[in-house]
Amino acid sequence: MTPETFLLEEQQAAAAQEKPQEPKRTENFVFGIPQNGLQQKQREVPVDEPPPLPANSELTYIGKPTQRYDGPAKALGKAKYTADVQLPGMLYARMVDAKIPHGRIVAIDTTEAEKLPGIRAVHVIEHVYGIAELRDPKQEPPSRYPTIRYVGQPIAGVAAVSQQIADDAAKLVKVQYDAIPFVVDRSAARADDAPMVFPGPADAAGSAGGGGGPTDVPQKGNVHGPKRRLIGNMDKGFADADVVVESEYFTQVQTHSALETHGFVVDWKPDEVTIYASTQGTASVRDEFADVFKLPKSKVRVITEYMGGGFGAKFGAGNEGVVAANLSRKANAPVKLMLDRRQEHIVSNRPDSHQKLKMGAKSDGTLTAIQLTSYGTAGVGTGAGTAGPATNLYKCPNLLTEEYDVFINAGPGAAFRAPGHPQGCFAFEQAIDELAVKLKMDPLALREKIDESPARKAERQLILERTNWRNRKPDGSDTGPIKRGMGIAQSVWYRFIDMDSSCEVRVSRDGSVELMSAVQDLGGGTKTILAQVVAEEFGIPPAMVVIRIGDTRFPIGPNSGGSVTAGSITPAVRNAAYQVKQKLFTAVAPSLGTTADNLVVQNGRVVFRNDPSKTYSLKQVAAKLPTNEISARATRVPEYSKARLTYGGVDYVELAVDTETGRVHVEKVFGAHDCGRPINPTGVISQINGGMLQGISYALFEQRIMDRNAGYMLNANLENYKILGAREVPEIEVVLVENYIAQSSTDAAGIGESAGIITLAAAIGNAFYNATGVRMRRIPMTPAGVLTALGKVQEEVQA
Amino acid sequence: MADTPKIEISRRGFLKGAGITAATGVIESANAFARDAKGALHGAQTIGPDAQPIKLHINGHELAVSVEPRYTLAETLRDNLGLTGTKVVCDRGSCSACTVWIDKVPALACMTLAVDAVGREITTIEGLSHGDTMHSVQVAFVKHDAMQCGFCTPGMVMSCAALLERNPNPKLDDVKHAVSGNLCRCGTYPKVFAATLDVAQQRAQASGLVNLDTGTEA
Ligand code: FES
Ligand code: FES
């Protein structure tokens, strides 16, 4: 999702709210940030909404550090991921993919592969999903086979009785190509005479998690765009400025590199297709399978019990899912198809960028103009825009952003943790520091001047109180070969809500409580927060709530992209739990000799309001149920107000630059972050640690390297595609800022995007400048790149 | 243009032909194969390519399984024996997700041929606990939330538990060293460190021993 789709959704939600409404009642909600003093906010809410929750400090389970619901299963190795699924008679499959970067397939010969003993099915694909498509397909001569536009493009799949035989068979599929000139370099692809990746304009759709790019923009050669946005008047903005900075920044392609690769187990049966998917969206996978195979959704079941990381790249059926389904149908047996590690590096990525920024400010720091032009490549996809931070962090009367996608013959970009924002922030938050240098202002003080966010204000205060910021030395003043510095950067993300967030809560006569929803847990800890919300209503420990999620047989859940999950599903869960509790009280009150409204949960017991000496356990109360089971189903209600909300964080970095070796050592990171009402601080902090470490990894190590002559990814593995490891982990401290927003029955919000991945490269860049007096305009900051920036070695020619 | 197969060293060919370089435990196990092969494979000089019956000592049990000589231990554990706690992520020795113990030493199951593990004592994540009673490192991982998606977790746990076996009193640097090969994309490292140091401290307290500085682990 992007800020633009956010606006769109907001309009839809507003339209929905303007329809004749069910009756409302007025409630007072806790509002604001504890550090700034909590307030009350009056809201109209639907009459059957649960009563407002007080602040976390007054709650029993919500807001308290809580053990991960499925922690033991994961620690014991019992958690079954898609890669671990084994079904009776299951076959193993392997994808066959393109070995050339651009060309037409002349012929595919599968006879050798089919002859291999143990082979059960071969499927050659007819359509490639997840990449841009020509606006006018007739611009390409018709062919049985899709045009090859990148090395690694899926061509076929083979299924066999063992993985080893499938691997052997995949190598025996013979593909004959007619090669076409190609380009894998972003800057080369912009040239007028560059080989054309698509013979005409092409567009890519986004996924449930975002990605994709604009479809209504011009295209010239490989350059798709711009997507242009103008507010105010740029000439006036720059005329009003006392200082102007102009700068240029470059970021690289980062691959998602989830440890569990993309993959599916498909069991195609005539009456129902069961799909085990390593996905962030059981709902979006079901929708895509139903769409591709023209099946009713009722006959497609998607299961995701555990999944080994997605980071934005796993939403749909994918080519591997479609192939697995075809193989299963042909072989009449369940088929497991997991991508191998090389394929995983090619299937998705965060696009690169080349950004030009020009910004103007008054001498007191007030921004007068922001102008951003960005070029980025999402390979054969689109969605390389980076304007989020420049548009949404600070208010500026004059803003112009122009975002271009550049097609190259490489694997498609996809949504990746805060799409566009780490790139955008790397440029924009360093440019803000450049302004501070020109204005001779402290970078934190400049942000204090231009940032209107109350949450980030509290967060900056924490930086001042809890870090070394006040002892920051003048830029570049450290002497000696190892130079230390500190820097900050700020992030912004948006409150997205997925209204397709439903669940059922069930109470049985023996007192057991279950929650069911199709929502999935990617490792962010969704199961745990759902258990806490239910536990709070019933006054029982979260571990006693049984959480069953990740199965489309349960009520639909949100697709986990854009940090929507916690904010979307927890209100539905609380409402269902509240409703079933009311039903329970109504059902048992007569046999307890009272009325339902005299029953309340207090300190883990069901208590008579008018006689606190009368207390019962939930078990005792449930035992009086006239039926065996009682349940309630709830769906997300619209936000209580139409306010457009963002989240953010401020991250602080201390680092050392070894000016002789060019190595950058991040020594300390301190982050202050907000995400509405935190439900499980433990899980939130885990996610922020992860975002920060991914951010450091992005800033210092990761980089897809393409062979310009042969057109393939040179480092599609985990030894040459360097990801941060244990040795590069700095000291990390995270503080959560509670931010009550009075928007839903839980006020929860996700943290996945604003968790540090957005800011770290920029904060490292700013700290690098403080240490050395030299601005890092390019990531990753490898030793070679650092020595080049420091003027110690000759500049290399780079993309 | 005809399909030109990419020139690549077949890893399996490499494993069989050139010996193994990545993990010490694995080299030893290759020697073990030479030592035990006769007994295990009835004196055959060469084996394969067809499946052979072998017996593996896993988590205290002797398990019979039929494997082709090219099957890795990781594949055999996961696909043939249903022990899917051991994960395969890179399948070439660069992530440690597949860490098991061979004769109590951490080894990469994706870089070990199943036939080379004959006669050795293999411990997997499933064998670290006693049923549902978790090993103290597993308990600490849960307590400190040293996991997110959990895909790296079994390998991390095996590496950290092995560290504590050989160095009951590790420093932060020792823990970093012990898991320096274990990749975690979710970024759980700080909590992995905390969990492991916590176990060491608790054990030291429980045994009443003074917390001696044993220095950095070799
Ligand atoms: S799977 Fe064995 S080291 Fe990566
Ligand atoms: S917890 Fe996800 S990779 Fe480590």
Side-chain angles (χ1 to χ4, degrees), chain A residues 22 80 116 171 255 283 359 401 411 446 454 475 510 520 531 547 599 628 634 643 725 746 750:
Chain A
E22 74 276 46
K80 292 274 182 221
L116 205 64
K171 292 192 186 109
T255 69
M359 307 208 310
T401 61
L446 172 59
D475 297 325
D510 66 354
Q520 53 292 313
I547 302 294
L599 293 172
N628 240 323
T746 64

Side-chain angles (χ1 to χ4, degrees), chain B residues 32-201:
Chain B
F33 174 51
R35 198 171 60 229
D36 300 333
K38 245 196 219 142
L41 300 162
H42 314 294
Q45 292 285 304
T46 52
I47 54 167
D50 294 334
Q52 310 282 324
I54 58 167
K55 286 191 176 135
L56 294 173
H57 282 269
I58 301 171
N59 302 332
H61 302 284
E62 194 176 64
L63 301 177
V65 60
S66 173
V67 298
E68 290 177 28
R70 62 177 175 165
Y71 285 15
T72 66
L73 178 59
E75 290 166 339
T76 306
L77 290 170
R78 290 175 51 79
D79 296 344
N80 301 77
L81 297 168
L83 293 168
T84 54
T86 301
K87 301 295 185 238
V88 172
V89 166
C90 68
D91 205 17
R92 56 199 273 173
S94 46
C95 75
S96 299
C98 62
T99 302
V100 298
W101 297 352
I102 297 180
D103 293 339
K104 298 256 189 284
V105 177
L108 303 180
C110 77
M111 298 294 283
T112 308
L113 294 175
V115 291
D116 275 349
V118 170
R120 315 300 296 266
E121 190 193 322
I122 299 155
T123 311
T124 71
I125 186 73
E126 291 91 348
L128 200 63
S129 53
H130 295 285
D132 277 346
T133 310
M134 290 190 280
H135 183 276
S136 52
V137 169
Q138 292 168 317
V139 172
F141 265 57
V142 175
K143 175 179 156 199
H144 289 271
D145 203 37
M147 65 194 76
Q148 289 180 59
C149 79
F151 212 73
C152 69
T153 308
M156 285 279 185
V157 167
M158 295 308 284
S159 292
C160 293
L163 165 70
L164 294 172
E165 293 290 315
R166 60 185 189 267
N167 176 1
N169 197 8
K171 298 273 167 279
L172 175 60
D173 255 0
D174 302 325
V175 184
K176 287 190 177 184
H177 179 83
V179 295
S180 59
N182 291 80
L183 282 182
C184 173
R185 190 52 158 164
C186 301
T188 55
Y189 302 105
K191 293 183 168 185
V192 168
F193 305 158
T196 308
L197 293 171
D198 189 10
V199 178
Q201 206 173 22

Side-chain angles (χ1 to χ4, degrees), chain A residues 37-95:
Chain A
L38 282 179
Q39 300 153 20
Q40 293 283 307
K41 187 75 149 191
Q42 216 172 55
R43 296 270 202 233
E44 299 270 290
V45 304
V47 271
D48 49 2
E49 279 290 282
L53 280 180
N56 277 354
S57 55
E58 294 170 42
L59 294 171
T60 312
Y61 299 115
I62 290 178
K64 302 294 175 287
T66 303
Q67 179 182 311
R68 188 171 290 267
Y69 181 85
D70 49 15
K74 287 175 177 173
L76 285 161
K78 289 190 170 177
K80 292 274 182 221
Y81 297 78
T82 300
D84 301 332
V85 168
Q86 276 167 332
L87 301 174
M90 187 181 81
L91 303 174
Y92 297 79
R94 181 62 73 210
M95 288 292 264

